[in-house]
Amino acid sequence: MNELMLGLGTVMHWSVLASLVIGAAMGIVIGVLPGLGPGVAISVLLPVTYGMPPMAGLVLLLGIYCGAFYGGAVTSILIRTPGEASSIMTMFDGYPMAARGEAQRALTLAFSSAFVGGIVSVIFLLFAARPLAEFAGRFGAAEYTVAALLSLICVVKAYRGKTPQAAVMLGVGLFIGTIGIDPTSQEMRFTFGSSELMTGLPLPAVVVGVFGMAQAFVMIGMRPCSGQSAGELASAGVSFKSMFELFRYPSTLSKSVGIGVLIGALPAVGAALSTSLSYFEARRHNPDTFGKGDPRGIIAAEAANNSNSGGALVPLLALGIPGDAVTAIIMGVFIVHGVFPGPNLFSERPDLVGGVMVSMLLINVTIMLMLVLLVRYVALCVRVDPRVLGVIILALCFIGSYSLSNSFYYAWVAFGFGVFGWFCAISGLPAVPLVLGMVLQDLLETSLRQALSVSEGSLLIFVQRPVSAALVAVIAFMIGWPLLRRFRQSRRPAAAAVKIEENPT
Amino acid sequence: MTMETTAHQELGERAQRRLALAFSATIALGGTALLVLAPVLIAGVRADVPFYKSPAFFPMGSLAIVAIAAALHTLRLLRGADLEVDDIDEPAANWRMVLVAGATYAGYIALVPLVGYGAGTAVFVLALGALARLGWKLPLAMAVILGAALFGVFVLGLNVWFPAPILAFGH
């Protein structure tokens, strides 16, 4: 409660409130625009926040983060084009409902579900972050090592079916983080004699390139389809009759919010996984009606989608481990102002922690009000020519990367990673693990080397301490269980064949 | 609105697959090369120092992950595995336009120190807009409005400093 009061005091400044409104509005528009996700926008705008007061900068980016979750549902429902990867599930039941003339009902269900998910996730943040931070305050190097390792494994496992691709990019991110001067031995690593590389490759410039620039290159080569969506977009609106309909499905709503919050709290896993898990869990009980405009499909997807946001902030604030790629980028705002997320944040900067919590509540309320009043106009944004957006994003990428240090070197780094990011997109290599690898590299390497120094190289240190041992057990389960299951499944046909041989009749 | 490219401009599926294969193989080879050369490229690597105190320990571990995972992915592609490009971000790339955009952007970075940020941005937006077949009116309007907006916000508002343009009148 103390944090909430402090937070209220931090947020009630005109600069913070203005950033909140602007960020929320931008987030909604960005969510509506296909191909332009919150990661792209936040990476491009991150350098802008360096010149702002820390709370105002944070709130701007959080507004974009949350707004995009809401906005992504608009085009999913109206024209069967998800604005975000996490809005794909909303499309399965949202579009059929809109197609039978109930677009406003579908949109209202989506927004109200997202609102409830968002508010509950902030309440979770309020009650879970501090206890976790206090618990993590007793973490030593071994615990941090295993926690960071668990995060990396979560990232790789989140890309089911694309494990090697995710591992490649994670490895690249971890490697890029080591370029420069080793903080332990002060030796130079992979600097090739360059004075610029001595400070390493800057995360914001890499992020601007890999997310912003790469996507802008793609958008510049596209053309909008002409005229097909005008009628559907005109049906955008909110139905007050349907505002409370989601409470008729308490089981779906509560399960979806729970899944979203818990998945969001898992380090390094994003919203797309929680929405698909939530949707398929709801569909399991109602396979015949899902995919045909069942309101529970929309509720399951959107409630899980937006409840990710608060959950993802829990490990960020309490442990300094981002909950997803977007919060990894947002972490940059903290660091540039000399604030390091983690257990000490609650004692050193309770005003910032409280400010984040209060602003998340206000952001959800603000977004809901904006959508009620303006969704019809917001939906029209989808008709913006993607080539225009691509040019604008590239112009922003240049000034964003240059302004990090008033240096053309950073602009060239961003450009290089933009080209790299485009090749990754073409090749099906996901960019998110690269960013998470870069963010977690310092924590993992420092903790690992400290732990091994204490144990004089013995790995037993990771199983001798109870918390560390428990986390190692979780990792072993996550890696071992799928392998065991696959082994048992491969033996089943052989066992069946043996049975048939023994009992031929 | 869905996005589309014209068919002849798209990177066809086979070409995309070959490109992905080459890119993945390059990462595997690059990772392996850096791994082998790490003791040379990292200063202070000594045989008498415990592995966990060596500055090469973590980078070599990361590079091993890169090399092995990239090699595995390359082998899977060679055996015919799907590219698994993300649907929502699928570039279906108009590769010529991407090349033009990349070259224009590189030119932009090189141009700004010569003519200043405002003029450089205006020229970039106008040129890229025209090359992206947006006509000339829209790029001209964008060049003026966007150039002014970015100059106002970043240079005047946020005090982002640019060196004096080399080709400035009277410089």
Side-chain angles (χ1 to χ4, degrees):
Chain A
M1 289 306 123
N2 184 43
E3 270 139 20
L4 271 183
M5 298 310 295
L6 278 170
L8 208 56
T10 311
V11 166
M12 291 299 155
H13 288 277
W14 71 266
S15 60
V16 177
L17 292 172
S19 295
L20 192 151
V21 172
I22 293 168
M26 286 178 69
I28 295 170
V29 171
I30 283 158
V32 165
L33 295 169
L36 191 66
V40 173
I42 288 173
S43 62
V44 168
L45 290 173
L46 178 65
V48 174
T49 65
Y50 291 172
M52 298 167 72
M55 199 66 232
L58 268 172
V59 163
L60 177 74
L61 299 186
L62 287 172
I64 294 172
Y65 180 41
C66 293
F69 285 131
Y70 285 85
V74 174
T75 48
S76 272
I77 288 169
L78 294 180
I79 57 171
R80 213 163 172 266
T81 303
E84 300 301 311
S86 57
S87 303
I88 292 173
M89 298 297 142
T90 309
M91 182 180 72
F92 292 153
D93 279 281
Y95 182 72
M97 189 181 280
R100 62 177 188 237
E102 295 180 292
Q104 294 190 357
R105 181 186 173 209
L107 285 171
T108 308
L109 271 170
F111 298 155
S112 52
S113 304
F115 180 74
V116 168
I119 297 296
V120 170
S121 75
V122 176
I123 294 171
F124 175 78
L125 173 67
L126 191 61
F127 287 104
R130 178 173 272 281
L132 182 59
E134 283 170 1
F135 179 67
R138 289 174 268 163
F139 275 21
E143 285 79 11
Y144 272 115
T145 304
V146 185
L149 200 56
L150 176 60
S151 308
L152 299 182
I153 289 169
C154 284
V155 175
V156 172
K157 289 199 76 63
Y159 286 90
R160 238 185 289 178
K162 290 175 82 168
T163 307
Q165 293 95 311
V168 170
M169 297 301 279
L170 193 67
V172 170
L174 289 171
F175 167 67
I176 290 172
T178 63
I179 295 173
I181 297 178
D182 174 24
T184 308
S185 63
Q186 304 302 311
E187 300 290 357
M188 284 188 275
R189 302 192 289 195
F190 300 97
T191 57
F192 299 95
S194 159
S195 56
E196 276 109 353
L197 281 177
M198 280 170 61
T199 52
L201 286 171
L203 174 68
V206 171
V207 161
V208 165
V210 157
F211 282 118
M213 217 172 285
Q215 192 60 24
F217 286 149
V218 168
M219 292 173 93
I220 277 180
M222 298 291 186
R223 258 177 218 267
C225 289
S226 50
Q228 68 174 56
S229 53
E232 292 94 332
L233 294 172
S235 63
V238 167
S239 155
F240 290 98
K241 206 170 56 175
S242 305
M243 197 68 83
F244 299 100
E245 185 181 347
L246 75 163
F247 294 112
R248 281 194 233 153
Y249 309 99
S251 164
T252 304
L253 180 62
S254 52
K255 268 193 228 173
S256 306
V257 170
I259 289 172
V261 162
L262 290 174
I263 300 280
L266 277 180
V269 181
L273 180 65
S274 66
T275 53
S276 55
L277 275 177
S278 172
Y279 182 84
F280 289 119
E281 167 58 26
R283 192 178 82 164
R284 200 162 59 89
H285 301 287
N286 311 284
D288 297 328
T289 57
F290 268 56
K292 297 170 186 166
D294 191 322
R296 288 168 292 191
I298 301 173
I299 294 168
E302 284 298 309
N305 195 8
N306 203 29
S307 57
N308 231 260
S309 52
L313 288 172
V314 170
L316 174 67
L317 296 177
L319 302 174
I321 294 175
D324 59 19
V326 174
T327 45
I329 303 170
I330 290 174
M331 211 164 128
V333 180
F334 283 99
I335 293 169
V336 84
H337 289 286
V339 176
F340 295 92
N344 295 332
L345 187 67
F346 286 74
S347 50
E348 288 169 8
R349 294 301 301 266
D351 57 319
L352 264 185
V353 174
V356 166
M357 294 174 182
V358 171
S359 59
M360 288 291 284
L361 282 169
L362 292 177
I363 283 167
N364 277 281
V365 172
T366 306
I367 290 169
M368 195 63 182
L369 284 171
M370 282 183 179
L371 285 168
V372 167
L373 297 170
L374 300 169
V375 65
R376 182 165 301 176
Y377 308 105
V378 167
L380 295 175
C381 292
V382 80
R383 300 177 78 181
V384 172
D385 193 321
R387 292 169 297 175
V388 170
L389 284 176
V391 173
I392 294 172
I393 291 169
L394 280 178
L396 277 168
C397 284
F398 169 75
I399 187 67
S401 53
Y402 173 85
S403 66
L404 289 168
S405 190
N406 291 341
S407 163
F408 289 102
Y409 163 68
Y410 282 38
W412 284 113
V413 167
F415 174 62
F417 277 94
V419 172
F420 178 74
W422 183 79
F423 277 104
C424 289
I426 285 280
S427 310
L429 296 174
V432 167
L434 184 149
V435 172
L436 288 164
M438 276 189 81
V439 168
L440 291 171
Q441 176 273 327
D442 187 48
L443 174 68
L444 180 58
E445 182 178 9
T446 307
S447 314
L448 178 61
R449 289 168 79 177
Q450 270 177 12
L452 290 175
S453 290
V454 165
S455 68
E456 293 179 350
S458 168
L459 294 175
L460 286 175
I461 189 172
F462 299 113
V463 293
Q464 283 168 344
R465 296 166 67 97
V467 173
S468 174
L471 292 173
V472 167
V474 171
I475 291 173
F477 178 78
M478 285 178 78
I479 295 173
W481 176 248
L483 293 173
L484 182 65
R485 213 169 54 183
R486 210 179 293 172
F487 174 70
R488 284 161 91 181
Q489 276 171 359
S490 67
R491 287 192 66 191
R492 262 193 219 134
V498 166
K499 217 173 173 180
I500 289 168
E501 265 186 43
E502 287 170 357
N503 297 299
T505 55
Chain B
M1 180 199 80
T2 52
M3 298 189 283
E4 63 174 19
T5 56
T6 50
H8 75 275
Q9 294 167 323
E10 266 187 35
L11 200 63
E13 199 179 311
R14 283 175 73 183
Q16 188 172 347
R17 196 178 174 76
R18 265 182 256 140
L19 188 60
L21 199 56
F23 186 60
S24 181
T26 305
I27 293 178
L29 287 170
T32 309
L34 285 171
L35 183 61
V36 167
L37 293 172
V40 174
L41 295 172
I42 299 174
V45 175
R46 288 173 16 216
D48 59 332
V49 165
F51 71 95
Y52 50 88
K53 288 189 177 173
S54 169
F57 165 51
F58 198 85
M60 289 180 76
S62 313
L63 287 167
I65 295 172
V66 172
I68 293 168
L72 198 58
H73 181 51
T74 307
L75 277 171
R76 286 173 81 193
L77 287 176
L78 279 169
R79 285 184 176 174
D82 271 343
L83 260 187
E84 292 168 14
V85 175
D86 188 3
D87 283 342
I88 188 120
D89 289 329
E90 185 171 346
N94 180 349
W95 63 274
R96 289 185 185 87
M97 196 57 234
V98 172
L99 207 58
V100 165
T104 312
Y105 189 85
Y108 176 31
I109 302 176
L111 186 66
V112 167
L114 300 175
V115 303
Y117 176 66
T121 301
V123 167
F124 166 71
V125 172
L126 186 59
L128 188 55
L131 289 167
R133 299 187 188 173
L134 288 170
W136 64 269
K137 288 184 192 168
L138 181 56
L140 184 61
M142 281 168 61
V144 170
I145 297 169
L146 187 64
L150 291 177
F151 188 86
V153 168
F154 284 92
V155 179
L156 300 179
L158 295 174
N159 288 319
V160 176
W161 176 83
F162 282 92
I166 294 168
L167 298 179
F169 187 74
H171 192 277

